[in-house]
């Protein structure tokens, strides 16, 4: 029978690409790893490597003091965890939900867990599957610090950097949302850029080294602008928003000349123009944060 303090066993529910990577890292670290997935078959390779396949989610969670859930979203994790037999088997044990969803869903899951005597940590993974089990992995977690500390020896088998962001259970999901916001808008920008480049006879491979240069510039700018946003000072000394809006208009015109959808850049240019219309044309583009945040509560 596994106890709360047992750090040698772990259960993974959900064997998509990420769940399999997590379970594989636990196996490689020598932990007794029990796995389960809604659709059978995905556990085969893990079992060959030494994992135990459970016949049901209930059996899986009963095998370890700690269960890591990693499925597509919280509708999926609810479908697994809130099944009566599974909920009952989890009583007195710990669940770490590494599925991605919203802060509200994380808080709702914590309420459910508390009501059923289940210890709960919420988390998110900020790196891709090949990074799991390597120093490159990035894991963010939130919830009771004592619980985080207690399970850190097990979770550290996943490798990489683990950060406890605070006791507010929704905090990891909130970071996740903000970081995915950056990721997907940047990827949408890249996809659009490649379409425009292609229309101009430039291949993606030709553009890629220069695109990487743009990515490299942005990292330091994120740090520099963070101070501006926190202080409410938006110096446009290096690049005023009037100049930025002008380059955005060039992108719109070029894309339009090729019949390429310009909706993404039009939205961005529109935000910049509103900032200028409000009399902040000498500020940096980041003043848009104020504009967007005005309706926040
Ligand atoms: P998916 O997001 O496609 O999730 C697949 C898993 O979800 C499978 O185990 C699938 O089971 C399960 N699932 C889906 N619907 C249900 C349901 N209704 N009931 C039970 N199980 C369900 O693949 P990943 O493994 O890649 O991602 C898992 C989580 O990790 C996601 O939240 C994702 O955002 C996050 N993540 C993934 C990264 C990656 O690089 N892949 C990077 C960072 C985070 P079945 O096999 O039965 O369909």
């Amino acid at each position: 029978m596994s106890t709360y303090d047992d750090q040698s066993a772990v259960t993974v529910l959900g064997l998509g690409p990420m769940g399999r990577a997590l379970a594989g890292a636990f196996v490689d670290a020598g932990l007794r790893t029990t796995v389960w997935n809604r659709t059978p078959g995905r556990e085969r390779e893990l079992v060959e490597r030494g994992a135990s396949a459970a016949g049901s989610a209930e059996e899986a969670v009963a095998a370890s003091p700690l269960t890591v859930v990693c499925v597509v979203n919280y509708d999926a994790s609810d479908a697994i965890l809130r099944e009566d037999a599974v909920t009952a088997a989890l009583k007195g044990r710990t669940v770490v939900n590494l599925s991605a969803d919203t802060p509200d869903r994380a808080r709702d899951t914590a309420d459910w867990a508390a009501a059923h005597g289940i210890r709960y940590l919420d988390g998110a993974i900020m790196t891709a599957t090949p990074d799991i089990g390597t120093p490159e992995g990035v894991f963010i977690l939130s919830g009771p610090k004592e619980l985080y500390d207690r399970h850190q020896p097990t979770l550290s088998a996943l490798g990489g950097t683990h950060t406890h962001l605070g006791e507010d259970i929704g905090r990891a999901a909130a970071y996740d949302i903000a970081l995915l916001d950056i990721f997907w808008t940047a990827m949408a920008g890249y996809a659009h850029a490649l379409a425009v480049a292609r229309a101009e006879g430039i291949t993606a491979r030709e553009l890629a080294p220069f695109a990487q240069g743009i990515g490299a510039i942005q990292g330091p700018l994120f740090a520099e602008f963070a101070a501006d946003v926190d202080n409410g000072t938006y110096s446009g000394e290096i690049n005023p928003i009037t100049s930025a809006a002008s380059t955005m208009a060039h992108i719109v015109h070029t894309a339009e000349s090729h019949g390429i959808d310009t909706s993404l850049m039009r939205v961005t240019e529109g935000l910049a123009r509103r900032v200028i219309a409000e009399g902040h044309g000498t500020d940096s583009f980041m003043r848009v944060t104020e504009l967007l945040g005005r309706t926040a509560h």
Side-chain angles (χ1 to χ4, degrees):
M1 173 74 188
S2 299
T3 67
Y4 183 35
D5 287 314
D6 182 3
Q7 300 287 346
S8 65
V10 66
T11 289
V12 177
L13 300 180
L15 300 175
M18 185 52 87
R20 288 200 299 275
L22 299 173
F26 285 132
V27 169
D28 289 347
L31 289 156
R32 269 189 296 119
T33 308
T34 303
V35 296
W36 178 85
N37 190 62
R38 176 184 62 169
T39 307
R42 298 201 206 288
E43 73 290 345
R44 226 163 273 143
E45 193 232 324
L46 288 161
V47 170
E48 280 166 18
R49 288 165 62 187
S52 302
S56 65
E58 175 194 354
E59 197 186 296
V61 304
S64 315
L66 173 67
T67 288
V68 173
V69 191
C70 191
V71 287
V72 62
N73 54 33
Y74 280 44
D75 282 345
S77 62
D78 281 356
I80 301 168
L81 302 175
R82 301 196 191 200
E83 208 249 301
D84 287 349
V86 178
T87 304
L90 279 169
K91 192 167 184 189
R93 301 175 194 273
T94 304
V95 171
V96 178
N97 199 340
L98 295 180
S99 315
D101 215 308
T102 63
D104 281 350
R105 292 300 293 264
R107 294 186 183 107
D108 174 68
T109 306
D111 290 344
W112 163 84
H116 292 87
I118 299 164
R119 299 183 176 92
Y120 186 70
L121 285 170
D122 201 84
I125 304 166
M126 304 319 309
T127 41
T129 52
D131 295 325
I132 306 305
T134 79
E136 308 306 318
V138 175
F139 302 87
I140 52 177
L141 290 115
S142 50
K145 179 71 164 59
E146 171 271 331
L147 201 55
Y148 172 82
D149 289 340
R150 189 169 291 259
H151 293 291
Q152 218 8 245
T154 305
L155 293 174
S156 65
L158 297 172
T161 311
H162 297 239
T163 307
H164 181 251
L165 296 168
E167 301 250 338
D168 169 11
I169 198 76
R171 215 165 153 80
Y175 271 66
D176 187 34
I177 291 294
L179 295 170
L180 288 173
D181 195 346
I182 299 169
F183 184 80
W184 287 119
T185 47
M187 292 311 270
Y190 187 41
H192 192 266
L194 292 181
V196 174
R198 181 190 282 164
E200 287 285 340
I202 303 163
T203 66
R205 280 197 189 84
E206 284 174 314
L207 193 72
F210 296 92
Q212 283 180 296
I214 294 289
I217 291 169
Q218 281 179 319
L221 283 178
F222 287 165
E224 192 181 319
F225 287 142
D228 280 353
V229 171
D230 281 346
N231 297 334
T233 55
Y234 298 98
S235 166
E237 214 174 305
I238 296 171
N239 185 226
I241 196 164
T242 44
S243 171
S246 170
T247 60
M248 290 171 201
H250 302 154
I251 299 166
V252 169
H253 295 153
T254 307
E256 267 175 353
S257 74
H258 293 295
I260 293 170
D261 189 299
T262 56
S263 47
L264 280 173
M265 190 47 66
R266 276 193 182 283
V267 167
T268 313
E269 187 194 349
L271 290 167
R273 299 272 176 220
R274 275 169 65 192
V275 166
I276 295 165
E278 288 181 5
H280 301 293
T282 56
D283 283 358
S284 77
F285 176 75
M286 292 310 290
R287 186 168 270 279
V288 163
T289 312
E290 297 285 330
L291 196 67
L292 293 170
R294 222 172 268 163
T295 51
H297 49 268

